[in-house]
Amino acid sequence: MMIKNIFFAGLLLIIQLSANAQLKVSGMFSDNMILQREQKIPVWGWANAGNLVEVKLKGESFPTITNNEGKRMVWLPPQPATEQPLKLEIKSDGQSIEFSNVLIGEVWFASGQSNMNFQVKKADNAEVEIANANFPAIRIYTVPNVVSKTPKADVDGKWLECHANTIPEFSAVAYFFGREIHKLENVPVGIIKSAWGGTPSEPWTSLEIMGNHPDFKEEIESIKHSQDDFMQKYLEQDMHYKSLKEIIAKVLEEDKNTYATLKYNDADWLEMVVPIHFHNTEIKGFHGIAWMRKHFHLTKEQAQKDIALTLGKIEQTDKTYVNGKPIGEGNYTHKQRDYLIPAALLKEGDNVIAIRIKHMRIGGGGIYARPLQMVQDKKVILNLEGKWKYNPSLEHESKPFSTVYQYLPGALFNGMVAPVIPYGIKGVIWYQGESNVSRAYQYREIFPLLINDWRIHWKQGNFPFLFVQLANHKSQPIAPVSDKTAELREAQSKALSLPNTGMAVAIDIGDANDIHPKNKQEVGKRLALAAEKIAYHKDIVFAGPTFKHYQIKEGKIAIKFDNVGAGLTTNGDAELKGFAIAGDDGKFVWAKASIIDKNTVEVFNENIENPKMVRYAWASNPVCNLYNEEGLPAVPFRTDDLRGVTYGRK
């Protein structure tokens, strides 16, 4: 079969090549690559204008002629999966490029922000996982972090075989997903990872598509008229940030030897009443390093024993000293600080606690939650709430700590998606949303834009697009709350109205203290279940119970669910948890709930005679336990359409 004169027009922007250009192939092609099975295989690159180029696979040649810009494209006919390695050869004008150890199988594009970037070496049981990562038929490819104002023509990467030396730095979610697909489908699997921590969805969407949304038209016009080289500006900003870090390290070392000590005179420092966020004090908007100090007095007996110190919650990171000596440090915003003060550091009479707090970019900063106390012999001997001295010792501009070019609409689509297209893929796995939480209602519109955008550019139809719903995180609520993370999860669920989409629910496998939970194995498995159903058309239960409809009768609300499998269950718990109920006033209270048949839950509260609406798992970190018998958690939902806390946020 011969396919010729098929040019790669309209997909990529490339540079004009000179008449003596060397034969070049897209950086998506290298030794060890996986090509997508059972669909046409695109092979593209550049050579002298008007030259004959031949692509050879499995002994068959496929010629084409480059156009006036020297670009060329060949579509090889669909191929079945292979077990034995192949060679791919490209020849033109006496030049030749050959790639070896090529396999044909399933290729998935893995993208998103930090939870997709999260490395295998940081996951649960990492040491064992890495030691056992001997899968020569799994291949991995990492797209470098690149920002660009216009679509890049090429990418600088290479395919690697999966083994203990290559997998530690790779995406844990992508690897565990690929491993499941490899085992379930028994074919070679390739994973292309293109992810960047902290990024919202807008930079991953093309400017053409983002320009259709009214919230971004002004910003996109500004981008189009900008003279900035995005990558150059990003690198300059990154260098400035690294230089600033060196300055900070030096200043902090000097501060430690003064501010942490008992003899330091803090009389001219400001005062705040703790617990409180920095943003509710005179230093509202502060981003940087602040020191806090509090003197405390001990009796002779108290100074002779260790003391358990609790500092509530600190935003974002701290290093804590007593009488000039470090006693502990924490890196998690929402985790209570519990430190031990050895008796050897204490003295009768006056002592001092000094805390160095680093607060950058997000949140309110400071010591913001109770309890704050000292405990000895299981008794509280000192309450530390009240006045503390503080000094914002090193305030920084926010911009160097928030490099913005990777956040601009289109910037990552241009730099990290466009140069991959039209490499053949089976579908996409996506883990992102944390950076859009504050604009969750808007995400209802812009997330589907991204999905449709990629499908339009790839020209492979409605390929499977599978995504992870945000995991549980932060403190569990005491009472029902309005919650922006819950609204983001709702926005993600609404994207399931698009064809060939699937969602892996992670509401039960997160970490209250870390937005990057380590159980990425289960995330990979749940994504693979969705793939088995949506991409490979297996007759399986692939999702947890999903809200279908409700009925109000005699002061109770009956909720019907889809995806119940063998039936609803509380996963071993005696009591069903996670439901809240409200009347016409929209004031939610906790509800009693029980499973009354295979697919129905009944919800009520004795104090609400005429219930109108129900919510389930409606919090950043809800207490909830509804599953199907197959062990998959129910999808958070609500029956009301009340305006949430992110409504109208842009």
Side-chain angles (χ1 to χ4, degrees):
M1 176 178 178
M2 181 177 293
I3 300 175
K4 59 183 180 179
N5 297 334
I6 302 175
F7 303 129
F8 186 16
L11 286 176
L12 296 174
L13 178 67
I14 67 169
I15 60 172
Q16 180 76 33
L17 297 183
S18 63
N20 61 348
Q22 294 293 308
L23 176 64
K24 187 176 185 298
V25 181
S26 164
M28 285 305 305
F29 299 88
S30 77
D31 294 339
N32 309 311
M33 67 182 139
I34 304 278
L35 301 173
Q36 178 59 42
R37 65 170 170 168
E38 297 171 356
Q39 66 184 42
K40 289 182 179 180
I41 300 171
V43 181
W44 73 97
W46 305 269
N48 290 330
N51 268 22
L52 174 69
V53 177
E54 288 186 278
V55 179
K56 189 175 181 180
L57 180 69
K58 297 168 76 171
E60 191 172 3
S61 292
F62 305 90
T64 190
I65 295 175
T66 57
N67 66 8
N68 291 334
E69 293 179 326
K71 58 186 175 185
R72 51 88 184 153
M73 171 79 113
V74 173
W75 291 90
L76 308 184
Q79 303 286 332
T82 58
E83 293 183 2
Q84 297 301 317
L86 305 171
K87 289 183 180 180
L88 181 72
E89 299 175 78
I90 301 99
K91 295 181 179 181
S92 178
D93 198 22
Q95 302 175 65
S96 177
I97 298 174
E98 181 179 294
F99 300 115
S100 62
N101 198 25
V102 176
L103 293 175
I104 299 174
E106 296 292 86
V107 179
W108 287 84
F109 188 74
S111 190
Q113 57 180 114
S114 54
N115 269 305
M116 184 60 82
N117 236 357
F118 189 92
Q119 298 162 316
V120 174
K121 68 182 183 182
K122 297 178 181 178
D124 280 344
N125 205 27
E127 188 174 336
V128 173
E129 295 286 13
I130 291 168
N132 293 331
N134 182 30
F135 295 98
I138 295 178
R139 310 291 171 80
I140 58 176
Y141 186 102
T142 298
V143 178
N145 284 5
V146 173
V147 293
S148 180
K149 188 172 67 173
T150 55
K152 300 289 289 184
D154 206 0
V155 58
D156 183 16
K158 63 180 180 179
W159 288 91
L160 302 171
E161 280 193 3
C162 171
H163 52 69
N165 292 328
T166 60
I167 206 62
E169 305 291 330
F170 196 66
S171 162
V173 167
Y175 166 61
F176 295 130
F177 168 80
R179 186 176 68 182
E180 290 295 309
I181 298 301
H182 176 54
K183 292 177 179 178
L184 292 166
E185 293 298 307
N186 195 30
V187 293
V189 172
I191 302 289
I192 302 166
K193 191 264 288 186
S194 181
W196 193 320
T199 53
S201 68
E202 303 92 278
W204 294 102
T205 311
S206 72
L207 285 176
E208 310 96 271
I209 298 299
M210 284 307 302
N212 294 331
H213 196 287
D215 290 354
F216 297 93
K217 283 187 175 181
E218 184 177 339
E219 184 177 13
I220 287 171
E221 282 303 309
S222 175
I223 290 170
K224 288 179 178 178
H225 292 97
S226 168
Q227 300 301 310
D228 287 352
D229 178 328
F230 283 4
M231 195 63 196
Q232 180 62 32
K233 289 290 185 180
Y234 170 78
L235 292 173
E236 289 174 1
Q237 202 161 265
D238 192 50
M239 287 178 63
H240 180 40
Y241 168 71
K242 290 174 180 175
S243 174
L244 214 56
K245 282 182 71 176
E246 293 179 3
I247 296 171
I248 291 168
K250 183 178 179 181
V251 171
L252 291 181
E253 187 63 28
E254 294 171 353
D255 285 353
K256 180 186 72 175
N257 295 325
T258 53
Y259 297 162
T261 61
L262 179 60
K263 66 181 180 181
Y264 178 77
N265 185 356
D266 56 22
D268 60 346
W269 282 23
L270 300 169
E271 281 188 347
M272 68 172 67
V273 177
V274 173
I276 195 171
H277 275 116
F278 286 161
H279 285 193
N280 294 323
T281 70
E282 296 177 55
I283 54 172
K284 181 177 181 179
F286 171 81
H287 297 277
I289 308 295
W291 281 84
M292 299 187 67
R293 286 169 55 94
K294 187 174 184 67
H295 286 265
F296 62 96
H297 291 263
L298 298 176
T299 66
K300 181 178 180 181
E301 292 75 16
Q302 290 171 336
Q304 292 174 347
K305 297 180 182 179
D306 295 348
I307 292 177
L309 171 67
T310 298
L311 292 173
K313 297 178 181 179
I314 296 176
E315 196 163 48
Q316 292 159 311
T317 69
D318 74 288
K319 189 162 186 178
T320 299
Y321 301 79
V322 169
N323 295 334
K325 301 296 182 181
I327 61 166
E329 55 188 301
N331 296 312
Y332 299 121
T333 295
H334 299 286
K335 185 176 182 180
Q336 179 172 295
R337 276 25 175 214
D338 291 301
Y339 301 134
L340 181 71
I341 310 175
L345 300 184
L346 300 171
K347 54 185 297 233
E348 180 183 356
D350 190 31
N351 296 262
V352 70
I353 301 171
I355 308 172
R356 187 191 78 203
I357 298 175
K358 182 170 73 172
H359 169 53
M360 304 296 180
R361 294 188 294 182
I362 57 176
I367 307 173
Y368 69 93
R370 298 177 174 88
L372 290 100
Q373 60 191 25
M374 290 183 172
V375 175
Q376 197 175 66
D377 296 331
K378 298 182 180 181
K379 295 180 181 179
V380 176
I381 61 170
L382 287 173
N383 185 341
L384 300 176
E385 294 180 32
K387 292 181 180 180
W388 284 62
K389 294 281 191 174
Y390 73 97
N391 178 25
S393 70
L394 189 63
E395 185 168 2
H396 320 299
E397 307 168 54
S398 60
K399 190 173 181 180
F401 289 90
S402 180
T403 45
V404 296
Y405 286 92
Q406 70 269 35
Y407 304 151
L408 295 179
L412 301 184
F413 175 86
N414 291 334
M416 299 176 66
V417 180
V420 176
I421 298 171
Y423 198 90
I425 60 171
K426 183 67 175 182
V428 167
I429 57 172
W430 174 260
Y431 197 157
Q432 189 275 337
E434 297 91 342
S435 290
N436 285 93
V437 161
S438 64
R439 296 176 283 119
Y441 265 71
Q442 186 190 65
Y443 201 73
R444 295 179 176 195
E445 299 170 346
I446 61 177
F447 183 35
L449 282 181
L450 180 145
I451 297 172
N452 288 325
D453 184 30
W454 288 14
R455 287 172 169 175
I456 289 167
H457 279 86
W458 241 290
K459 294 186 177 179
Q460 286 188 201
N462 292 329
F463 54 71
F465 195 106
L466 315 175
F467 52 93
V468 183
Q469 192 181 54
L470 295 188
N472 50 310
H473 176 49
K474 300 183 179 179
S475 301
Q476 292 181 330
I478 297 172
V481 293
S482 295
D483 189 273
K484 57 188 179 181
T485 301
E487 291 173 16
L488 194 285
R489 293 193 189 108
E490 180 182 49
Q492 291 176 308
S493 296
K494 288 182 178 296
L496 293 172
S497 63
L498 295 177
N500 288 333
T501 53
M503 183 172 73
V505 175
I507 198 70
D508 59 333
I509 52 175
D511 187 330
N513 300 313
D514 194 347
I515 202 168
H516 305 113
K518 295 182 178 181
N519 184 2
K520 295 298 193 274
Q521 291 89 336
E522 186 64 24
V523 175
K525 286 180 181 179
R526 293 179 185 179
L527 282 170
L529 278 176
E532 285 294 288
K533 178 69 173 183
I534 294 162
Y536 303 113
H537 312 295
K538 302 293 176 61
D539 185 15
I540 60 170
V541 177
F542 73 102
T546 307
F547 169 73
K548 184 177 182 180
H549 62 76
Y550 71 102
Q551 182 179 17
I552 303 173
K553 187 176 181 180
E554 297 178 354
K556 297 181 179 181
I557 301 181
I559 309 289
K560 293 284 186 181
F561 291 88
D562 282 329
N563 296 320
V564 298
L568 298 174
T569 179
T570 57
N571 202 32
D573 291 337
E575 180 184 353
L576 184 55
K577 303 170 184 176
F579 287 88
I581 197 168
D584 285 324
D585 60 4
K587 295 179 180 179
F588 282 88
V589 295
W590 293 128
K592 294 181 179 179
S594 58
I595 298 168
I596 60 173
D597 62 36
K598 178 180 177 181
N599 63 356
T600 309
V601 169
E602 191 173 71
V603 184
F604 71 98
N605 183 298
E606 300 93 336
N607 298 319
I608 298 181
E609 294 182 2
N610 298 302
K612 298 295 183 182
M613 53 196 85
V614 169
R615 292 179 175 180
Y616 173 73
W618 199 260
S620 181
N621 188 9
V623 178
C624 55
N625 63 347
L626 182 62
Y627 289 75
N628 55 26
E629 289 285 358
E630 286 71 16
L632 296 171
V635 180
F637 71 92
R638 61 174 176 154
T639 64
D640 65 275
D641 59 358
L642 300 175
R643 288 185 176 182
V645 292
T646 67
Y647 181 83
R649 293 284 298 274
K650 299 181 180 180

